[in-house]
Amino acid sequence: MGDMMKLQVLIAVALLCVSSVLACTDGICHDYQFAVSTTQDVPPDRRMLGRASWTFLHSTASYLPATLDIHEKSAFIELMNDIKLIYACSECRAHFDKIFADPVVQTELYGIATREDAQLWLWKIHNAVTSNNFPSWAMFPESAKLHAKEFLIPESSATQLRIANLTPAVRKEILAALNKRWHMSAGLDKTTRANDACPSSGYETVRVDFFAMAQCPFCREGLRVIKPLIKCDLTCVLGDKTLQGTLDFRIHFVGSVEGKKLVSLHGPNELEGDKIITCARQHYPMQYRWVDFMECMEVDQSKIPADASACAAKYNMNFTLLEDCAKEDGFANVKRDFEYGIDNKVDATPTVFVSHGATKHKVENPGSVGDVQHMLCQVLAAANGQ
């Protein structure tokens, strides 16, 4: 086994730590009794390792070449074979081996020839782990309406789902869901930024920085008022001239950083709301979809963050993705926001800045759509030499 493959296997050894119901006695199968998202500098527990491992494996499959040569196929199969040998949790490892050893599973693994084959094989194994541990849970993706009993391996091999028997429509639906969650169309090296919301237009870009708190009633009203302006295309009519531009709209949450602790004015629920909204911002930037999600959560601020699931469903967002992101990335996301607000000396919310390049202006009345739009057009005109 080459050095790179050994490294991949080491990363993958956490595969079945995803909330195993087995009585694992290994240290790695211990769950910390505190919230991972608010704790720093600790080894990962089994759930953290499980999420990271599935992300690694699904992402690996999603970036394989469309058609595998003999070396790529062998490397993928070898990676799967080695999990059962060196996986960190012995009970979980044994559980995986029971699924992995199933003759149907083995035939499908050794029969892979394409990237899609590898993606679908991992999808089946992931659902098998879920159905064996949590038979009442919906299988991924929920829209396919597949039943957990189809993934009970090896206990119910007679009724086991065969990948080859998937209809073209269901196969397409599953692959679309896998790619939506684990494959970036522009490539893995592309960094998701706030201004990924809008495609390149060739026009001048005007940036709006909106500083807010998730449970601030004035922020909710300010967002509601300027929501009609939050779209990629920016149009300003100045006399007999019409100027076109692109809007780069960004929301930053405001709070304090006290050592390794984040403090939000309205309490811990607000902080959790900040985390999940920043994750919507991170994963659903295009055309500012995340703004709709935030506006939905703001309808009844007393229900933040409890309404996140319903709001995700309303706007066709993957709530599990947002929830996992909030646990893993939420602290760092919100910390960056808080520090940015501190750097900009923001002492009240909402606060709105409009800028182009190094030129930045503060909107005196951020709750007025007219004042915000006027500032946007002033800055756009200046950017165009008007």
Side-chain angles (χ1 to χ4, degrees):
M1 186 189 303
D3 291 342
M4 182 56 68
M5 183 56 67
K6 288 179 181 177
L7 175 61
Q8 289 178 328
V9 172
L10 288 173
I11 297 173
V13 295
L15 175 61
L16 286 177
C17 278
V18 57
S19 303
S20 173
V21 295
L22 296 170
C24 181
T25 57
D26 298 347
I28 199 167
C29 292
H30 173 70
D31 280 336
Y32 295 123
Q33 298 303 311
F34 39 75
V36 171
S37 60
T38 57
T39 307
Q40 304 298 300
D41 302 323
V42 297
D45 65 20
R46 66 181 181 181
R47 283 172 291 186
M48 293 169 65
L49 285 166
R51 287 191 295 267
S53 298
W54 283 120
T55 296
F56 163 73
L57 291 168
H58 285 296
S59 298
T60 296
S62 76
Y63 288 101
L64 288 171
T67 301
L68 307 184
D69 64 27
I70 188 170
H71 303 294
E72 292 156 345
K73 175 178 176 176
S74 295
F76 183 82
I77 292 173
E78 185 178 10
L79 175 59
M80 298 304 114
N81 273 305
D82 283 324
I83 290 172
K84 68 179 186 295
L85 300 177
I86 58 173
Y87 182 58
C89 169
S90 60
E91 296 286 350
C92 305
R93 190 164 64 238
H95 183 212
F96 172 76
D97 194 30
K98 288 180 181 179
I99 296 173
F100 186 72
D102 180 84
V104 176
V105 170
Q106 284 288 300
T107 299
E108 290 174 334
L109 174 61
Y110 281 86
I112 66 170
T114 67
R115 174 178 61 233
E116 291 185 354
D117 291 342
Q119 287 180 284
L120 289 169
W121 187 87
L122 273 172
W123 160 80
K124 178 177 174 176
I125 294 299
H126 197 161
N127 273 342
V129 171
T130 301
S131 66
N132 275 268
N133 288 339
F134 308 103
S136 65
W137 286 18
M139 297 294 97
F140 179 87
E142 291 187 35
S143 59
K145 301 187 186 319
L146 297 166
H147 198 280
K149 68 181 180 182
E150 297 178 86
F151 298 93
L152 288 176
I153 305 169
E155 290 84 354
S156 303
S157 286
T159 58
Q160 182 185 151
L161 177 143
R162 268 63 168 175
I163 295 173
N165 292 342
L166 293 171
T167 67
V170 171
R171 181 184 176 97
K172 181 178 180 180
E173 181 178 359
I174 294 165
L175 287 166
L178 291 170
N179 286 323
K180 181 178 180 180
R181 180 156 186 184
W182 282 292
H183 184 94
M184 298 180 71
S185 58
L188 190 61
D189 295 327
K190 185 179 188 296
T191 301
T192 302
R193 302 176 302 274
N195 57 5
D196 282 337
C198 304
S200 177
S201 66
Y203 296 122
E204 296 291 341
T205 297
V206 177
R207 174 169 163 170
V208 173
D209 290 283
F210 187 100
F211 293 86
M213 298 179 184
Q215 289 184 320
C216 159
F218 301 108
C219 303
R220 175 182 59 197
E221 180 62 16
L223 181 65
R224 184 192 66 80
V225 166
I226 70 169
K227 177 72 163 25
L229 302 177
I230 306 174
K231 51 189 177 182
C232 291
D233 297 326
L234 175 61
T235 302
C236 292
V237 178
L238 301 173
D240 59 350
K241 294 184 178 180
T242 299
L243 297 179
Q244 300 292 327
T246 298
L247 179 68
D248 178 6
F249 181 80
R250 309 185 183 203
I251 280 181
H252 312 277
F253 290 108
V254 175
S256 60
V257 181
E258 300 178 2
K260 293 184 177 181
K261 184 179 179 182
L262 301 180
V263 179
S264 196
L265 178 64
H266 299 97
N269 283 345
E270 179 173 67
L271 183 60
E272 293 306 310
D274 291 350
K275 290 176 184 178
I276 204 158
I277 292 169
T278 64
C279 285
R281 183 181 70 192
Q282 175 178 327
H283 288 283
Y284 296 95
M286 291 302 295
Q287 302 294 331
Y288 301 114
R289 285 183 65 194
W290 60 271
V291 177
D292 292 327
F293 174 80
M294 178 175 176
E295 185 180 44
C296 175
M297 288 189 63
E298 295 284 311
V299 169
D300 186 347
Q301 293 178 323
S302 68
K303 294 183 180 179
I304 292 175
D307 272 355
S309 177
C311 290
K314 180 177 180 179
Y315 291 104
N316 195 28
M317 295 180 177
N318 186 324
F319 177 66
T320 301
L321 174 65
L322 298 181
E323 189 176 40
D324 287 350
C325 171
K327 291 174 182 176
E328 296 174 9
D329 301 330
F331 184 96
N333 289 349
V334 176
K335 184 172 183 284
R336 281 192 296 270
D337 275 20
F338 284 8
E339 289 174 340
Y340 190 70
I342 293 166
D343 290 343
N344 281 272
K345 299 179 171 55
V346 174
D347 57 7
T349 57
T351 293
V352 176
F353 292 109
V354 180
S355 61
H356 176 271
T359 304
K360 182 167 70 173
H361 303 274
K362 183 177 181 180
V363 179
E364 293 304 321
N365 184 5
S368 165
V369 65
D371 286 7
V372 175
Q373 188 166 32
H374 177 71
M375 185 62 74
L376 279 170
C377 290
Q378 276 193 324
V379 173
L380 180 61
N384 282 278
Q386 302 294 316

